Amino acid sequence: MGRQRVLSGVQPTGNLHLGNYLGAIRNWVEIQSQYENFFCVVDLHAITMPHNPATLADDTYIIAALYLACGIDLNYSHIFVQSHVSAHSELTWLLNCITPLNWLQDMIQYKEKAVKQGENVSVGLLDYPVLMASDILLYQADKVPVGEDQKQHLELTRDIVNRFNHLFAKPDQPVLKLPEPLIRKEGARVMSLTDGTRKMSKSDPSELSRINLLDPPDQIVYKIKRCKTDPIRGLTFDDPARPECNNLLTLYMLLSGKTKEEVAVECQDMGWGPFKSLLTETMINALKPIQEKYQTVMDDKGYLESVLRDGKHFAEAIANNTLTQAKIAMGYSIPL
Ligand code: TRP
């Protein structure tokens, strides 16, 4: 028996921030040696909202380079671009035709994003979760690392698997594998620097609300200097009246590698001034190796392209095989 498979993806919408890193990618890096991993840059998902054709390709390379910079290791993991493997689009069509419309209309993320778009909402946005299901199912993934906001999409993926297998497979010979969520340990939900009750997000209009992985040190100094705090002296975790305090302590804990207890003791009598200096320095030091590695990768475009080419070939063989199995199960003729 080989290792179990993990699949996950990030959309190429520009920069990654600390929330993406601490909440997702860092966990992938930690667990990668136990699994066979597929990390894709989901550029087909990126066009479910209005996008910029002039930057899509560059943004895709940036995310792939950041995967490497954050420590995704090619000994355990395959990195590839979703649109390079056409089976993603093709399986999506097959699954579309067995997915009830109302399952998609009930998705929370769809409802939230659709409101913002009004009349212009595309069929693609509604179909987003079926494309995500295809990403997962093509690789027969056992585990999918997901945050809170993607849990419902994974549940939908499981519903689609059950429906597909029920319709087209013998009970003892499922065609598609039922994936399980891989829920991470607590403590990695990173909140906005300007509002401790909201998640750090790419779509927040204020740059001051987030730290991007590629922010230079002077930006980090500036953003931490400006970030929201409160007038109370002494810093504590888990006080519901102090969401910013909890978030900044959590960031310090995650970036310093110290335990919660150590941080609680170290910071209990600190004022905001000294704590901000400490957090700034810790953040700059933690991001430095990622930024250096990123530069090295970006300076050698040929290397990055070869990583993505290898990833594509490896992924494609597996994906095409699953796609063929699904088509056979559905009764298609397969060209010889
Ligand atoms: N929808 C995911 C997100 O926005 C990205 C994604 C696409 C994904 N396909 C996936 C995540 C497959 C996990 C598995 O975070």
Side-chain angles (χ1 to χ4, degrees), residues 7-11 42 45 128 132 135-136 144-146 150 153:
L7 179 133
S8 201
V10 169
Q11 289 194 45
V42 291
H45 280 103
Y128 178 117
M132 179 165 160
D135 299 342
I136 297 166
V144 182
V146 280
Q150 296 299 314
H153 291 160

Side-chain angles (χ1 to χ4, degrees), residues 78-335:
H78 308 284
I79 298 177
F80 66 101
V81 177
Q82 186 187 35
S83 69
H84 293 179
V85 180
S86 60
H88 290 248
S89 300
E90 206 175 332
L91 184 63
T92 300
W93 176 256
L94 302 180
L95 298 180
N96 275 340
C97 295
I98 63 146
T99 304
L101 181 60
N102 67 347
W103 288 6
L104 299 180
Q105 287 167 330
D106 284 344
M107 292 290 115
I108 294 165
Q109 193 174 78
Y110 169 70
K111 288 195 257 187
E112 285 175 0
K113 288 190 183 175
V115 178
K116 291 185 201 156
Q117 296 225 75
E119 297 266 292
N120 287 323
V121 60
S122 71
V123 174
L125 185 67
L126 180 71
D127 205 25
Y128 178 117
V130 181
L131 179 59
M132 179 165 160
S134 299
D135 299 342
I136 297 166
L137 301 176
L138 281 172
Y139 303 94
Q140 308 280 5
D142 300 276
K143 296 269 158 56
V144 182
V146 280
E148 243 350 276
D149 62 329
Q150 296 299 314
K151 262 194 201 155
Q152 198 186 26
H153 291 160
L154 193 66
E155 270 311 309
L156 179 94
T157 302
R158 291 170 55 86
D159 289 342
I160 291 174
V161 168
N162 287 329
R163 193 170 171 100
F164 186 98
N165 288 335
H166 174 75
L167 288 169
F168 304 122
K170 298 201 187 86
D172 53 340
Q173 284 175 307
V175 173
L176 300 177
K177 186 171 224 162
L178 198 61
E180 306 273 346
L182 198 61
I183 309 287
R184 57 172 179 263
K185 298 171 273 153
E186 46 93 24
R189 208 175 131 96
V190 175
M191 312 306 281
S192 157
L193 295 183
T194 47
D195 178 353
T197 64
R198 294 185 23 200
K199 249 180 84 168
M200 187 176 284
S201 159
K202 281 179 191 173
S203 55
D204 192 315
S206 169
E207 265 299 318
L208 286 177
S209 70
R210 62 186 158 261
I211 303 279
N212 298 311
L213 291 189
L214 299 177
D215 278 348
D218 60 331
Q219 279 279 330
I220 296 176
V221 169
Y222 181 74
K223 288 179 178 177
I224 297 296
K225 206 169 259 166
R226 303 286 294 271
C227 78
K228 188 169 175 205
T229 57
D230 58 35
I232 304 168
R233 221 196 134 75
L235 308 177
T236 50
F237 280 105
D238 299 322
D239 181 343
R242 306 184 69 189
E244 286 80 21
C245 183
N246 187 63
N247 185 43
L248 295 172
L249 283 179
T250 302
L251 277 177
Y252 175 57
M253 171 185 88
L254 294 169
L255 294 168
S256 66
K258 292 180 181 169
T259 65
K260 192 168 174 178
E261 291 68 32
E262 285 167 344
V263 172
V265 172
E266 183 183 357
C267 302
Q268 59 187 345
D269 299 319
M270 263 190 204
W272 282 113
F275 175 74
K276 281 191 172 185
S277 306
L278 180 66
L279 177 61
T280 302
E281 191 194 324
T282 306
M283 203 175 274
I284 290 171
N285 287 334
L287 292 183
K288 193 165 173 233
I290 295 176
Q291 297 179 346
E292 286 173 356
K293 180 83 197 285
Y294 173 81
Q295 253 332 305
T296 311
V297 174
M298 277 314 228
D299 289 344
D300 189 352
K301 198 87 188 278
Y303 170 71
L304 186 57
E305 282 165 357
S306 79
V307 168
L308 294 178
R309 201 176 321 119
D310 292 351
K312 168 193 149 91
H313 286 136
F314 195 91
E316 200 164 49
I318 296 167
N320 285 346
N321 182 47
T322 305
L323 178 64
T324 301
Q325 297 311 316
K327 289 172 82 172
I328 291 171
M330 292 178 84
Y332 279 96
S333 67
I334 303 299

Side-chain angles (χ1 to χ4, degrees), residues 17-28 146-147 184 188-190 254:
H17 55 67
L18 268 182
N20 302 126
Y21 176 61
L22 296 171
I25 298 175
R26 201 173 77 148
N27 303 303
W28 305 354
V146 280
R184 57 172 179 263
R189 208 175 131 96
V190 175
L254 294 169

